[in-house]
Amino acid sequence: MSPANNKLSPYDWIIVGGGLVGASIAYGLIQKQPQLRILVLDGGDTDHRASVGNFGLIWVQGKGNDFPAYANWSLQGADLWPEFARQLSHKSQIDIAYQRQGGLEFALSQHQLSVLREEMATMSRHTQGRFQYTLLDRNAALALQPGLGEAVVGAAYSPQDGQVNPLYLLSALHKANRLLGVEYQSRCPVEHIEVLEHGFNAAGSLAKHIVLCAGLDNQRLGKQLAMHLPVTPVKGQILITERAEAGKLPYASPQMRQTAEGTIQIGGSHEHKGLDNRSSLDIMQTIANDAVTIMPELAKLHLVRSWSALRVMSPDGAPIYQRSTKYQGAFGVCCHSGVSLAAAHAGLLSSWLLNTLDRDQKILIEAMNNDRFAV
Amino acid sequence: MSKVYDYLVIGAGPAGMAAAIEASNAGLCVLVLDQAENAGGQIYRNLGQVGIQQARVLGPDYLVGKPLLAEFMAANCDYQPMAQLWHIEAHEKGFLVVALVHGESITYVTSHLLLANGAMERPMAIPGWHKPGVMTAGAGQILLKTAALLPKQVVLAGSGPLLLLLAQQYRAAGVIITALLDTTPKSNYWYATPWLMAGLTTPKQLLKGLWLTLVQRIKTPYITGVSGIEVLGEECVTGVSYTVAGKVYDIDCNLIMLHQGLIPETQMGQLLGCTQVWSENQQCWQARVAVAGQTSVPGLQIAGDAGTIGGAYVAQFNGRLAGIVRANSGVATLSLQKRLLTLWLCLRVKQLHWARGLVDRLYRPADWLSEPSSDTIICRCEQVTAGAVTAIASRGCAGVNQLKAYTRAGMGACQGRQCGLNLAYLVAHAQQRPVSKVEPLTVRPPLSPINLGQLSRQTEL
Amino acid sequence: MTDLLFSCLLKDSPMCPITVNGVEHQVPARLSVAAALLYLGNLAIRKHPVSSEARAPFCYMGVCFECLVIIDGQHKQRACLREVMPHMCIETAMVGVNP
Ligand SMILES: Cc1cc2nc3c(=O)[nH]c(=O)nc-3n(C[C@H](O)[C@H](O)[C@H](O)COP(=O)(O)OP(=O)(O)OC[C@H]3O[C@@H](n4cnc5c(N)ncnc54)[C@H](O)[C@@H]3O)c2cc1C
Ligand SMILES: Cc1cc2nc3c(=O)[nH]c(=O)nc-3n(C[C@H](O)[C@H](O)[C@H](O)COP(=O)(O)OP(=O)(O)OC[C@H]3O[C@@H](n4cnc5c(N)ncnc54)[C@H](O)[C@@H]3O)c2cc1C
Ligand code: FES
């Protein structure tokens, strides 16, 4: 049934935005309460979509160094991933190539290494020692990752990091959602949200609850529902090489990772260029240079693709989980690490939306609302 | 700081050569880059080198390019063959053009850029088209032009002037054409009649075309109204099956050449954010170009088949016009002579494009080709089938770009050149919307292979 | 290698020595590498990286990327865009798949 036919019988939930955040939340909601009528409204084919342009890491190291709630949330999110991945692959019959093989962040100077040491220690403190890590000197790093260049002085290692194919993750979420009865409408950008007496009207569909998961468009839509959702685009360029022999990079890393297909993904820049997401030579060159410095033998691998995408970035880089105080039933979710947190969004955040969460968890999530940006 | 060219031309075909000649004659500092080893482009490929026997087979329309080629070789412009362009971007001084030359990635800066990189053949996705023993008719012609290589025996299949021309050239060389399977829908003849007027404005070409068609119909085993072509064979081609009037036929063959007309190579313009429009007549996306090649991007022109498919003559006129307009940009008053020449070239280009409407309508691809059976490979690089694409598209994905993310179709080495158009048709069918409303695949560098080592060591020119 | 699919019109053109997978051959000068491989009777020259099936050059004009070979140690060269040079060393993933 097309949503247009449902104008008169409202949905329980409308999710605006079908990226990783919206799709994970819909997946969580429908699993918890299968009788719910949920509609996901998504944008057009060439919209900015961090969900199809990201690096695919489920990353814990360094997350929430200045923000204990986020550090705990990231770790919890990563711990929920194995079960989430198993269930999702089973439901969707799509292999999302999830692996929790541990991750390495390489340091190219003693200074970088000492910064990493500091960060790891802070993170461990924030999480009462639940975050596990080892700081590696050059030889120890070489033992885990052979072929490192001369410039690598060491690395930080955590067994809690992992990776996934983010494209298949999104595809699997959409497929599972459809099988579970979530309705999905693409090419349906929401311009305006009308507040009704007992709910909301978005693009002609009605619902009692609405969650804004529209990525960079959340800022604009949030205003309509009296929510301050300050997000800005931060551009990231990524390079991907031809397939290399399996096991070339046994560990995940924000600097480079090997995908299940065998290609090597290299990244990524952090650029403030507004909504411009074109590829540029200088950045591609820098990325290639860094990669070759870390692993000289990558020089002979061919580039098959490059891309760039815009991060949905809050002022402190941590997620924003917001409930509209003015309009009951309206929520906003903005998050940079939507891959890492997919399991947490499906598992815990959806319970928060349904108001079925225990008190401690609720406090943790609500610590990440926008009060922290108030001056 | 590197040298800044006044005009950088990509492609040394008729359009690029003509533009470079005009611009350099006017005193501009011009550079022409081409990935081929010799100038000439698709039509005059290898013209400087062919032997007499090849020339006889290839016919007079080929040799006619000699003066242009000579003029280009004598022109006062830089020409870099074997330059594989892999990236272009906007730059404060105009454009940054990056090409791999002899294994080194070189960056060129230019204030104005002309894309004259020509056309490619419309990918004809039929079951088995990825097997050894299948190639395009263009490939057959290139092998003839550049290597004098001739098959002993071949099946030709598809539609369009190039297929007929190849049949003619092959017959002249004594190749056995087992069958020419013409997929032109009979209804096209009817739909094309209103365009006869347009065709009549170029009577010589019209007659030549008619003659070519007639001769093939008489002299080759010519089968019309063909649909449902399938390549047979496990590892290699062993035969081909096809349908005529509801009846299925099989023929044995080891080699089959496919053709379904030409489409512009639009990737470079797309990379620069040039506005693309769907051409109903030519059934493909094209950059929006004005008659002298101007595009939606200031300083960027597109001429020849890279803009609109028009053939060699119009490419050459279009290139000349583009070069003259570039050379005189910023000139307040043109001499009367220049103005008349520009006007004449404008009219010629417009007229020839209009006349082309007849060919476009007559050889518009048959509908069955845009709805391949589900086991047909659509994306040759990533081995994605039509069935997989349709399954995702009918679930309501937003378009080809989201589809690419879900299926990997379009992610391979050819950067979606071989699948982009067919993906759009499949999405359009599955979602019951016009293909013109499906947005094309986004283009990203590298447009041709480069390794990380080469990328990390950039050379500025 | 069985019956050749293609034959060459050039009868008395100068020849150029090249090496294909370690074996020396003579081919007419000025041929593209892809054409030279075909001249020598090699239709399929590549194993597809995803399916491992045999694949052959398709467009001979640089758009399909079905002709990738190693030339003088350089990987991923489009064989259809390069002319043979004396003593050029060509490596292909496979040779000789022919009907
Ligand atoms: C280069 C890069 C690397 C990254 N690496 C990682 C990583 O390794 N690990 C990690 O965890 N995270 C990573 N991320 C972050 C992660 O990708 C994002 O956090 C996540 O994808 C955000 O998902 P989203 O659904 O909020 O946003 P998006 O993916 O941007 O989706 C927004 C959706 O909303 C739709 N939409 C927009 N406006 C409207 C409207 N008005 N009406 C209806 N629909 C609308 C759009 O069409 C789109 O589908 C990376 C991001 C980038 C850019
Ligand atoms: C295979 C084929 C065969 C054809 N045969 C005929 C024929 O027999 N008769 C006829 O009338 N028309 C033929 N055509 C039509 C032909 O396109 C036009 O007649 C005419 O050649 C168009 O001229 P042009 O200058 O626009 O482009 P082209 O002649 O195609 O020239 C484009 C040039 O750009 C170069 N180029 C492309 N991409 C890059 C890149 N990334 N980097 C650097 N250089 C690049 C190419 O090497 C080429 O030299 C054929 C077309 C094709 C594709
Ligand atoms: S044969 Fe198509 S790229 Fe060489």
Side-chain angles (χ1 to χ4, degrees), chain A residues 101-129:
Chain A
Q101 74 273 57
L104 289 169
E105 170 124 30
F106 302 105
L108 294 174
S109 65
Q110 288 303 335
H111 173 70
Q112 276 179 15
L113 199 59
S114 59
V115 171
L116 283 177
R117 179 178 296 120
E118 193 63 33
E119 278 181 12
M120 299 300 117
T122 314
M123 178 117 189
S124 175
R125 229 176 312 116
H126 286 335
T127 55
Q128 286 81 43

Side-chain angles (χ1 to χ4, degrees), chain B residues 115-139:
Chain B
L115 305 180
N117 55 310
M120 56 176 266
E121 291 176 88
R122 176 189 298 277
M124 183 170 161
I126 56 170
W129 70 310
H130 54 288
K131 298 203 167 113
V134 185
M135 57 180 76
T136 67

Side-chain angles (χ1 to χ4, degrees), chain A residues 16 24 42 113 233 316 327 333 356:
Chain A
V16 182
S24 304
D42 206 357
L113 199 59
D316 60 3
Y327 303 114
V333 178
T356 56

Side-chain angles (χ1 to χ4, degrees), chain B residues 35 37-38 42 45-46 49 53-54 57 82 84 102-103 119-121 129-130 132-136 138-139 142-144 146-152 170 235-237 254-255 257-258 265 377 380-383 413-414 417-418 447-449 454, chain C residues 3-11 28-32 34-36 38-39 43-44 46 48-66 68 74-78 80-85 88 94 97-99:
Chain B
Q35 66 186 7
E37 300 220 7
N38 300 300
Q42 288 310 338
R45 190 173 277 270
N46 221 32
Q49 281 79 34
Q53 226 185 334
Q54 262 166 298
V57 168
M82 293 177 74
Q84 302 189 9
H102 302 301
M120 56 176 266
E121 291 176 88
W129 70 310
H130 54 288
V134 185
M135 57 180 76
T136 67
I142 289 166
L143 287 170
L144 171 58
T146 63
L149 277 174
L150 290 166
K152 295 207 171 94
Y170 271 178
E235 201 178 4
C236 277
V237 177
N254 297 138
L255 186 65
M257 293 184 183
L258 306 175
E265 264 262 44
I377 302 261
R380 299 170 62 106
C381 299
E382 295 289 333
Q383 294 283 99
C414 87
R417 287 175 180 91
Q418 292 290 332
L447 297 183
S448 62
Q454 292 161 332
Chain C
D3 201 19
L4 295 186
L5 273 182
F6 282 78
S7 61
C8 191
L9 265 186
L10 304 173
K11 289 295 174 246
R30 308 217 65 117
L31 257 53
S32 72
L38 191 61
Y39 171 87
L43 189 56
R46 194 169 81 106
H48 194 276
V50 179
S51 69
S52 302
E53 289 169 347
R55 284 290 180 90
F58 179 66
C59 73
Y60 286 87
M61 61 171 282
V63 288
C64 73
F65 291 75
E66 293 278 16
L68 300 178
Q74 292 204 358
H75 287 244
K76 302 261 157 167
Q77 299 297 306
R78 277 172 286 176
C80 64
L81 294 180
R82 296 283 305 271
E83 269 179 21
V84 291
M85 298 273 282
M88 189 181 246
M94 62 190 312
V97 174
N98 228 349

Side-chain angles (χ1 to χ4, degrees), chain A residues 18 42-46 49 52 94 165 167-168 170-171 174-175 178 184-187 239 241-243 259 261 263 266 277-282 284-285 288-289 291-292 298-309, chain B residues 86-90 96 98 105 107 271-272 381-382 392 395-408 410-413 415 431 433 438-440 442 444-446 448-458:
Chain A
D42 206 357
D45 193 36
T46 47
R49 275 204 175 77
V52 296
I94 293 176
N165 179 328
L167 307 180
Y168 291 169
L170 185 63
S171 177
H174 277 291
K175 188 170 172 197
R178 187 176 52 99
Y184 173 71
Q185 184 72 22
S186 68
R187 286 175 289 121
L239 304 179
T241 71
E242 65 186 300
R243 289 167 168 85
T259 67
E261 287 84 26
T263 60
I266 304 167
N277 82 335
R278 289 173 299 180
S279 307
S280 63
L281 180 67
D282 53 345
M284 288 190 284
Q285 189 180 355
N289 222 335
V292 173
L298 296 184
K300 67 176 199 308
L301 284 181
H302 275 81
L303 184 63
V304 287
R305 247 172 307 140
S306 70
W307 73 77
S308 115
Chain B
W86 69 268
H87 179 56
I88 331 178
E89 68 184 55
L96 202 69
V98 199
S105 181
T107 311
L271 201 52
L272 288 170
C381 299
E382 295 289 333
I392 302 257
R395 266 185 241 156
C397 79
V400 293
N401 289 292
Q402 201 163 20
L403 209 143
K404 169 175 169 182
Y406 290 174
T407 61
R408 300 186 66 84
M411 283 189 184
Q415 304 289 351
Q431 303 184 347
R433 51 185 177 130
V438 182
E439 288 160 287
T442 314
R444 292 278 184 191
S448 62
I450 176 169
N451 70 32
L452 288 179
Q454 292 161 332
L455 172 55
S456 68
R457 301 181 300 268
Q458 243 3 276

